[in-house]
Amino acid sequence: MTFALLFFVALFLDQYMGQIVDIGDVWEIRCPQGCTCEIQKYSDLSLHQWASTNRDNNQDVPSDDVDFNMNDNPMAHELLKIATCVIVDNPEELLAKLPSDIQVLTLLESGSGDVDILLQATTFQRFTELISLDIQGIDYSDLSTKETNNRTDKGGIILASDAMYPLGSTLLYLNLERVKLSNLNLPNKDKANLVIKPVNSQETETADENQVPVSNTSQHKGHRLIFLSQQNKEDKEILPYDLYKQELEGYRENVELFAALGVLTHLRVNDCALKDISWHMFDGLNSLLYLSLERNSLKFIPEFCFYGTPNLRLLSLASNELLTLKSVDLAGLLMLEHLDLRQNNLTFLSELSFPPFPALVSADFTDNPLDSIFPSTFEIMNTTIKLYLGGMASKLKLQKNSLLGLRQAEILHLYNLEIPILERFILQGLPSLTHLKMRGNISSIDFDAFVDLANLLDLDLSHCHIQRISMDAFYGLEQVKRIDLSNNDLEFIPPGLFTAQQQKELREIILTSNKLTSLPLEFFRNLRLPNKQTHVQNIRLDGNPWDCTCVMVSWNPNLVNRNKETAPRCSTPKRLQNWGIFYALRKGGLQCRSPKKRYLRKSLKTRSFEEDNDIS
């Protein structure tokens, strides 16, 4: 009886206080209304969606990177206590009912968004075992245009400057989205043209060095004018120094928002309207491995801004408004492996853009209006394996030695190129390259253009508006397995472009969607080895205006992709228009009488009607 009474008392207290009760090794969680509580494996947490350090934004390239923090974490298979709460106004009362030993906490803002929700030190001081904190404001991008237009700057989640102090010894993961970091922006330097500063000065008048002062030394109080801006000619108020100092000191206090988080490994501050950052923000974050400041309004990076994060492995500044990079901006990141600068306003890169990156694996500069890559830009990034350059806003022009120094690069993607003639000197300095993708305007490819890429496995030149290609363009590509020339303006393929003697490992040739009407007579024969065998497994010829003639009896149907959707079809003569080429050969549409035709008919005898390319 006593045991039963104690059980019901414990259950009542659990429902009221929201505590976790251990009953026979089974955790039962009772949460306050507005929250959900559960136990999950560390490996199943949603934080993996953003905390992964092996993110590859180009999914068509295989990635062998290892997520050093997630898979190797000793907590990978542990069960963690998780709470998710929806907050509309003051969260203090709601969070006070949560179990104090919660380890993962997610706060989601709801409501109209016009109420200030202040999170401060007292909000989190109960949670002494918290390792992950995720705070998300209202996502207005999901709302209708009308609702978005009615949005005001007032209200929303505000993170006080002392909010993180109680979590300094335990917090590993911090995610902030659409959260206001109180007073984190710099004082408005455009507010005044000058500041009046009180000073104590000594005025001494002397005739020369050897003479006695003309007048006695006197001390007096005065004001010194400090000019903040000389470029703006508009009239601005004169700001008293005490007020200016107060604003500046307030800024310095608030930029140390994360200073107490000495064990923090992952920090994400996304879509928080950051306009300025400072080295104070990240000073002392010696354990930080992952830092994302995506979707903010940063135009510049202060010098040595990330010097206080010496162990940083991934830095993302994507989707900001960065105008330029200087080597001192990213100085000190000697352990950095992944740099993401997508979707900014960078227009050029030079040898002065980067500091030493002795451990860098990947760098992504796509969707920037880059138009110039100066010679030797990447000499100092000589360990980089993956590099992505170019964007639709501007034509990318490469010079001689623009890519020099990338001796370990294996994957290179170049977008929106403007190169009238692709010559050998463009791709010099890339001896380890295995995957090359180029997009843009490349009218012509010169001989030996890829001769220095002896280890290349995959060459993607689709969507490049190529009109002419030299018969020796692919000379030296002895290891290449796939060549994609689809969606170009090629009207003919020069004899000897593809040969088994040169491209010894070639498996796939893609010529889809060009302007080809015929192939060289020896095209298929050149793909055979001396023993009559061939390594080529697939040739795509669809999407071309083929002129069907009896010369096509030399085509090897076993190599051409002949599915119903990808079969090459006749464009001329008109009576055979839209006929599958091999169907026309087999059914006599071309009326070719030769031993080759009989051999061709025999080899196709066992194939189904659909595989034989129905003309419908």
Side-chain angles (χ1 to χ4, degrees):
M1 182 67 180
T2 304
F3 175 81
L5 182 60
L6 290 174
F7 173 80
F8 284 112
V9 170
L11 185 61
F12 173 79
L13 291 175
D14 174 47
Q15 290 178 330
Y16 181 75
M17 297 299 295
Q19 298 295 316
I20 297 178
V21 181
D22 185 9
I23 305 175
D25 296 328
V26 177
W27 287 96
E28 292 187 1
I29 302 178
R30 301 289 186 266
C31 274
Q33 187 175 4
C35 297
T36 61
C37 301
E38 56 185 328
I39 294 179
Q40 285 188 7
K41 282 186 178 181
Y42 173 87
S43 56
D44 295 334
L45 297 181
S46 59
L47 63 87
H48 288 264
Q49 298 175 4
W50 60 266
S52 175
T53 55
N54 67 340
R55 177 179 56 182
D56 194 330
N57 300 306
N58 297 272
Q59 298 297 330
D60 55 334
V61 176
S63 175
D64 297 325
D65 292 349
V66 176
D67 188 340
F68 60 86
N69 191 64
M70 293 299 170
N71 296 334
D72 299 336
N73 196 296
M75 297 189 301
H77 303 291
E78 285 191 17
L79 294 175
L80 299 179
K81 304 159 193 174
I82 301 169
T84 301
C85 296
V86 177
I87 54 178
V88 179
D89 45 28
N90 187 359
E92 298 281 350
E93 182 178 351
L94 176 64
L95 299 184
K97 298 178 182 179
L98 281 174
S100 61
D101 56 352
I102 285 294
Q103 295 168 287
V104 179
L105 177 60
T106 300
L107 301 179
L108 306 175
E109 182 188 5
S110 183
S112 60
D114 56 357
V115 177
D116 286 341
I117 302 175
L118 181 63
L119 303 179
Q120 48 194 339
T122 55
T123 309
F124 303 110
Q125 63 185 4
R126 295 179 56 250
F127 306 115
T128 57
E129 299 182 26
L130 199 65
I131 64 170
S132 176
L133 177 60
D134 186 352
I135 305 174
Q136 299 183 29
I138 296 175
D139 187 358
Y140 288 94
S141 64
D142 292 339
L143 302 179
S144 66
T145 304
K146 181 178 179 180
E147 290 174 317
T148 303
N149 291 337
N150 292 334
R151 177 189 176 187
T152 63
D153 292 332
K154 297 180 180 179
I157 298 178
I158 302 174
L159 202 62
S161 59
D162 65 346
M164 297 293 105
Y165 287 174
L167 308 177
S169 61
T170 61
L171 197 65
L172 300 176
Y173 307 97
L174 176 58
N175 180 41
L176 305 175
E177 296 186 50
R178 299 171 295 279
V179 174
K180 296 179 182 179
L181 309 183
S182 58
N183 299 326
L184 197 54
N185 291 330
L186 284 165
N188 188 354
K189 294 181 180 179
D190 293 331
K191 184 175 181 179
N193 278 331
L194 52 85
V195 171
I196 301 178
K197 179 180 180 180
V199 294
N200 291 327
S201 63
Q202 290 184 343
E203 293 186 358
T204 302
E205 296 181 11
T206 58
D208 57 50
E209 294 180 358
N210 299 322
Q211 289 184 343
V212 179
V214 175
S215 62
N216 294 331
T217 301
S218 62
Q219 295 185 355
H220 66 87
K221 294 182 178 180
H223 294 85
R224 179 161 60 93
L225 299 183
I226 303 175
F227 288 88
L228 298 182
S229 174
Q230 297 179 352
Q231 298 178 353
N232 198 328
K233 303 298 183 181
E234 298 179 5
D235 293 335
K236 302 289 180 68
E237 64 177 301
I238 298 176
L239 188 67
Y241 178 73
D242 290 342
L243 180 58
Y244 176 77
K245 182 179 179 182
Q246 183 179 354
E247 288 189 4
L248 191 60
E249 290 300 323
Y251 165 74
R252 287 174 178 168
E253 290 177 4
N254 283 288
V255 295
E256 297 177 359
L257 173 66
F258 310 117
L261 303 177
V263 298
L264 191 71
T265 60
H266 290 68
L267 173 59
R268 190 170 183 252
V269 184
N270 283 15
D271 200 11
C272 291
L274 282 180
K275 295 182 179 179
D276 300 286
I277 55 176
S278 165
W279 66 269
H280 299 85
M281 291 179 64
F282 314 108
D283 190 33
L285 300 183
N286 296 324
S287 300
L288 198 65
L289 303 175
Y290 173 109
L291 175 60
S292 172
L293 301 174
E294 295 183 10
R295 300 197 305 276
N296 286 294
S297 302
L298 301 175
K299 290 184 172 63
F300 300 97
I301 302 174
E303 296 180 0
F304 302 98
C305 187
F306 305 107
Y307 207 76
T309 60
N311 293 302
L312 199 64
R313 305 294 180 85
L314 185 149
L315 173 62
S316 178
L317 294 163
S319 302
N320 277 281
E321 302 171 13
L322 295 176
L323 299 170
T324 186
L325 277 181
K326 303 188 302 297
S327 59
V328 290
D329 298 346
L330 301 176
L333 299 177
L334 302 181
M335 301 295 291
L336 192 68
E337 296 178 358
H338 305 278
L339 177 62
D340 188 351
L341 287 164
R342 292 170 297 132
Q343 298 177 358
N344 278 282
N345 292 325
L346 301 174
T347 57
F348 72 93
L349 296 175
S350 74
E351 70 276 15
L352 301 179
S353 298
F354 306 108
F357 286 131
L360 195 67
V361 173
S362 68
D364 194 341
F365 299 93
T366 52
D367 295 321
N368 279 278
L370 287 172
D371 54 29
S372 296
I373 306 293
F374 290 98
S376 302
T377 292
F378 303 109
E379 284 271 19
I380 206 164
M381 294 169 57
N382 52 25
T383 64
T384 304
I385 295 177
K386 301 179 183 180
L387 180 62
Y388 310 101
L389 295 169
M392 298 309 297
S394 182
K395 301 290 185 181
L396 177 61
K397 302 177 181 65
L398 298 180
Q399 307 175 25
K400 184 177 182 179
N401 296 332
S402 285
L403 302 173
L404 193 67
L406 294 168
R407 292 182 289 276
Q408 297 185 37
E410 297 178 4
I411 297 171
L412 176 62
H413 289 190
L414 302 170
Y415 297 96
N416 206 14
L417 282 166
E418 185 67 36
I419 303 177
I421 302 177
L422 181 60
E423 299 179 82
R424 176 179 178 178
F425 67 81
I426 297 292
L427 297 172
Q428 284 182 329
L430 299 162
S432 302
L433 200 66
T434 59
H435 292 75
L436 174 61
K437 176 190 286 188
M438 306 178 85
R439 296 286 187 271
N441 293 307
I442 306 175
S443 300
S444 177
I445 300 180
D446 206 1
F447 67 94
D448 293 349
F450 307 98
V451 73
D452 295 307
L453 308 182
N455 293 303
L456 196 67
L457 301 177
D458 189 290
L459 177 59
D460 186 348
L461 298 172
S462 61
H463 300 277
C464 286
H465 302 284
I466 300 171
Q467 299 176 6
R468 189 191 70 84
I469 186 167
S470 168
M471 64 179 295
D472 296 320
F474 300 144
Y475 182 80
L477 296 181
E478 296 186 359
Q479 303 297 321
V480 71
K481 296 181 182 296
R482 177 178 176 270
I483 296 178
D484 188 349
L485 290 169
S486 63
N487 295 280
N488 283 296
D489 299 321
L490 291 170
E491 296 183 359
F492 69 95
I493 298 296
L497 180 64
F498 303 103
T499 67
Q501 286 72 30
Q502 283 298 322
Q503 299 95 37
K504 299 178 181 180
E505 302 296 329
L506 189 59
R507 298 292 190 274
E508 185 175 16
I509 302 171
I510 304 178
L511 297 171
T512 301
S513 299
N514 277 277
K515 299 178 180 179
L516 300 173
T517 58
S518 63
L519 290 176
L521 186 61
E522 302 296 320
F523 181 87
F524 288 93
R525 181 177 297 177
N526 287 339
L527 298 177
R528 293 194 307 220
L529 297 168
N531 60 2
K532 306 297 183 181
Q533 300 297 316
T534 178
H535 288 311
V536 176
Q537 300 172 351
N538 182 39
I539 301 176
R540 288 281 301 273
L541 299 173
D542 52 299
N544 287 283
W546 296 110
D547 179 27
C548 289
T549 67
C550 289
V551 175
M552 290 178 171
V553 296
S554 66
W555 287 22
N556 187 341
N558 297 315
L559 301 183
V560 179
N561 192 310
R562 297 182 297 110
N563 293 329
K564 189 172 183 179
E565 295 78 12
T566 60
R569 297 184 178 276
C570 302
S571 180
T572 56
K574 189 173 182 179
R575 63 185 178 85
L576 297 178
Q577 192 170 30
N578 208 36
W579 281 47
I581 290 175
F582 295 104
Y583 181 86
L585 288 170
R586 188 174 66 86
K587 293 298 183 180
L590 287 173
Q591 299 179 352
C592 300
R593 299 186 180 276
S594 69
K596 289 186 177 180
K597 180 188 172 185
R598 290 196 298 272
Y599 169 79
L600 185 63
R601 182 181 301 164
K602 182 179 179 181
S603 66
L604 296 175
K605 187 175 181 180
T606 59
R607 297 189 178 272
S608 66
F609 181 74
E610 182 176 350
E611 290 176 333
D612 287 338
N613 303 306
D614 188 357
I615 64 172
S616 60

